[in-house]
Amino acid sequence: MSSTDSRFNFIVTGGAGFVGSNLTLALQERFPDAHITVIDDFRSGNFKNLSGYRGDFVAQDLATFDWHKQFGDGTFDAIFHLASITDTTNHDQLEQVHDNVESFRRILDFARPTKTRVVYASSAATYGSATEASVESIGAAPANVYAFSKVIMDNIATRAAAELPDWIIVGLRYFNVYGPREAHKGVPASMVYHLSRQMKVAQRPRIFKHGEQKRDFVYVKDVVEGSIRALDAQGSGIYNLGSGQARSFNELVDVLNKCLGTNFQPDYIDNPHAHYQNFTQADLTNARSALGYEPRFPLEEGVRDYMQWLESQLGS
Ligand SMILES: NC(=O)c1ccc[n+]([C@@H]2O[C@H](COP(=O)([O-])OP(=O)(O)OC[C@H]3O[C@@H](n4cnc5c(N)ncnc54)[C@H](O)[C@@H]3O)[C@@H](O)[C@H]2O)c1
C-alpha cells in the first residue's frame, strides 16, 4: 500500500484518547479524503480531544465488540489499534488482561480474512527494568499487569504474522509520550504535563528522590509520525518509538524552568512504588530502517511546542 493515496478507509481505536486523538487528527489532515472511523468507549478518553474531527465514531467496548455486525463486509486499508486500559496502577489482572487482549484478538480475527493491515500500540513497559537502550529482540520482563497484557498482544501478533506472511501487523512500543490532549488522563498523564502544571501555579515540581531516574520522553508528534509511517512498512514487526534519548527528571525540571521562565528547585519526595522503571531508552535502529522513523523533537523542542499549545488552550 502507498501512503501517497488519499482515498483511504481507516479505523482508529482509542481515538478519544491522548495518542489516538492526535493520530486521528493528523490522519485527517494528511489524507483529507480518507474515511475515518473512531471506536472508543470513553473509559478514559474524552470527546473534547476530537475537536475539529469530521469522521464517524462508534462508542463501543472493543473487548465485546462484534466487528462483523457493525461493519458487515466493509473493508479497511488499515486499523490503528490504540485503545487500551492505560492506567498502569490498575492492578485488576482480569480486567487488564481480558479487556486489552480480547479487544486485540477480535481485531486480528476481523482483519485476518482480508489481511487488513493492523498497526497497534505496544509499550516500552514490556521491557521492565533496563539499564541501557532497549532493543526489540531482548526478552520481555513485564513488571505490572498492564505490561503483561501488552506482552501477550505482542505474542499473538507475532504468531498471527508468522502464520500469514503477506498480512502486515506492526506493533509500536511507545516510550514515555507527552504532548497535547493528554490532560483527560489525570494521574497517568505524563510527568511533563504534571510538573508544568505545578510550576504554572508557583509550586515546586515534585519528583521522586533524587531526580536522576531517566526516561525516554517522546513528543506525541513524533510517535504519530512513526505510526503513520507504519502504513508503508513492507513487512510485519515490532518497533520502538521513542526519542532515542534518556533524560533525567532533574533535566526535565531544568528544561521546564527555561521554557516557563521560572527557577524552581525540585521538591524531592519518597518513591512509593516497589516496581519502578529507573531507566527507559529506545534503541531506534530497527524503527529507522523499517519505518524510516526519525524523531524531530528532542526534549527541549517538544516541551517548547507543548507549552505553547497549552498556553493557546487557555480560555478556549
Ligand atoms: N501515553 C504513553 O506514554 C504510552 C506509552 C506506551 C504505550 N502507550 C499505548 O498507547 C495507546 C494510547 O495510549 P494513550 O496514552 O493515548 O491513553 P488514553 O487512555 O488517553 O487512550 C486510550 C483510549 O482507549 C479507550 N479504551 C480503552 N479500552 C477500551 C475498550 N475496551 N474499548 C474501547 N475503547 C477503549 C479509552 O477510552 C481511551 O480513549 C495505548 O494502547 C497505550 O497502552 C501509551
Side-chain angles (χ1 to χ4, degrees), residues 81 100-101 104-105 108 118-128 135-142 146-162 169-175 236-240:
H81 176 49
N100 291 352
V101 176
F104 189 46
R105 198 188 313 279
L108 293 179
V118 176
V119 178
Y120 73 94
S122 178
S123 174
T126 56
Y127 294 118
V135 184
E136 293 86 345
S137 54
I138 63 174
Y146 162 79
F148 177 79
S149 75
K150 294 288 183 181
V151 171
I152 302 302
M153 289 170 63
D154 287 348
N155 293 349
I156 62 175
T158 304
R159 185 190 293 181
I169 306 172
V170 178
L172 300 171
R173 289 190 179 150
Y174 298 152
F175 277 63
S236 296
I238 297 174
Y239 305 105
N240 292 333

Side-chain angles (χ1 to χ4, degrees), residues 13-21 39-46 49 60-64 81-87 99-100 103 121-125 146 150 153 172-178 181-182 184-185 188 190:
T13 76
F18 165 36
V19 184
S21 61
I39 310 176
D40 197 303
D41 68 357
F42 295 113
R43 71 179 66 191
S44 67
N46 194 305
N49 289 330
Q60 294 277 357
D61 177 356
L62 288 154
T64 53
H81 176 49
L82 282 80
S84 174
I85 296 172
T86 53
D87 182 355
D99 289 13
N100 291 352
S103 296
S122 178
S123 174
Y146 162 79
K150 294 288 183 181
M153 289 170 63
L172 300 171
R173 289 190 179 150
Y174 298 152
F175 277 63
N176 298 88
V177 192
Y178 65 95
R181 306 181 184 87
E182 64 168 318
H184 66 277
K185 291 179 74 172
S190 76

Side-chain angles (χ1 to χ4, degrees), residues 204-279:
R204 288 171 61 196
R206 287 158 58 86
I207 57 181
F208 294 146
K209 289 174 182 169
H210 288 280
E212 284 307 308
Q213 309 90 334
K214 291 188 172 168
R215 288 279 178 282
D216 185 321
F217 298 107
V218 59
Y219 196 41
V220 70
K221 288 185 180 175
D222 279 330
V223 300
V224 162
E225 180 61 29
S227 306
I228 294 175
R229 279 175 176 270
L231 288 175
D232 290 327
Q234 299 297 306
S236 296
I238 297 174
Y239 305 105
N240 292 333
L241 288 188
S243 70
Q245 298 179 348
R247 306 289 298 270
S248 71
F249 288 103
N250 286 330
E251 283 179 276
L252 172 58
V253 170
D254 284 346
V255 169
L256 282 166
N257 268 325
K258 286 202 181 80
C259 207
L260 299 172
T262 52
N263 193 20
F264 291 108
Q265 293 302 309
D267 178 10
Y268 294 115
I269 58 174
D270 288 324
N271 182 349
H273 302 294
H275 300 289
Y276 189 75
Q277 282 183 297
N278 280 317
F279 183 91

Side-chain angles (χ1 to χ4, degrees), residues 2 24 29 46 61 65 95 107 111 116 122 130 134 214 224-225 261 283 293 313:
S2 165
T24 301
E29 196 180 324
N46 194 305
D61 177 356
F65 187 55
E95 187 190 9
I107 288 170
T116 302
S122 178
S134 298
K214 291 188 172 168
V224 162
E225 180 61 29
D283 182 304
Y293 171 72
Q313 297 302 296

Side-chain angles (χ1 to χ4, degrees), residues 269-312:
I269 58 174
D270 288 324
N271 182 349
H273 302 294
H275 300 289
Y276 189 75
Q277 282 183 297
N278 280 317
F279 183 91
T280 66
Q281 184 180 7
D283 182 304
L284 297 178
T285 312
N286 293 324
R288 284 192 170 104
S289 63
L291 307 177
Y293 171 72
E294 195 56 59
R296 294 184 302 125
F297 292 91
L299 190 60
E300 287 75 4
E301 297 303 318
V303 167
R304 183 166 49 209
D305 195 75
Y306 185 20
M307 293 305 121
Q308 280 171 1
W309 184 85
L310 282 171
E311 283 299 311
S312 76

Side-chain angles (χ1 to χ4, degrees), residues 11-152:
I11 299 258
V12 182
T13 76
F18 165 36
V19 184
S21 61
N22 282 283
L23 173 63
T24 301
L25 296 173
L27 287 169
Q28 177 174 273
E29 196 180 324
R30 191 83 55 97
F31 309 109
D33 296 329
H35 289 279
I36 305 178
T37 303
V38 165
I39 310 176
D40 197 303
D41 68 357
F42 295 113
R43 71 179 66 191
S44 67
N46 194 305
F47 77 95
K48 290 180 182 164
N49 289 330
L50 286 171
S51 170
Y53 174 53
R54 300 188 299 271
D56 197 355
F57 195 106
V58 177
Q60 294 277 357
D61 177 356
L62 288 154
T64 53
F65 187 55
D66 187 335
W67 284 79
H68 287 287
K69 190 170 167 209
Q70 183 74 36
F71 297 115
D73 293 328
T75 56
F76 298 92
D77 295 287
I79 299 172
F80 292 93
H81 176 49
L82 282 80
S84 174
I85 296 172
T86 53
D87 182 355
T88 58
T89 63
N90 174 346
H91 298 301
D92 185 327
Q93 301 183 70
L94 176 60
E95 187 190 9
Q96 282 268 14
V97 179
H98 177 268
D99 289 13
N100 291 352
V101 176
E102 297 316 315
S103 296
F104 189 46
R105 198 188 313 279
R106 281 169 182 265
I107 288 170
L108 293 179
D109 288 346
F110 175 72
R112 185 177 288 108
T114 47
K115 296 181 189 149
T116 302
R117 181 177 294 251
V118 176
V119 178
Y120 73 94
S122 178
S123 174
T126 56
Y127 294 118
S129 94
T131 51
E132 55 189 22
S134 298
V135 184
E136 293 86 345
S137 54
I138 63 174
N144 55 39
V145 70
Y146 162 79
F148 177 79
S149 75
K150 294 288 183 181
V151 171
I152 302 302

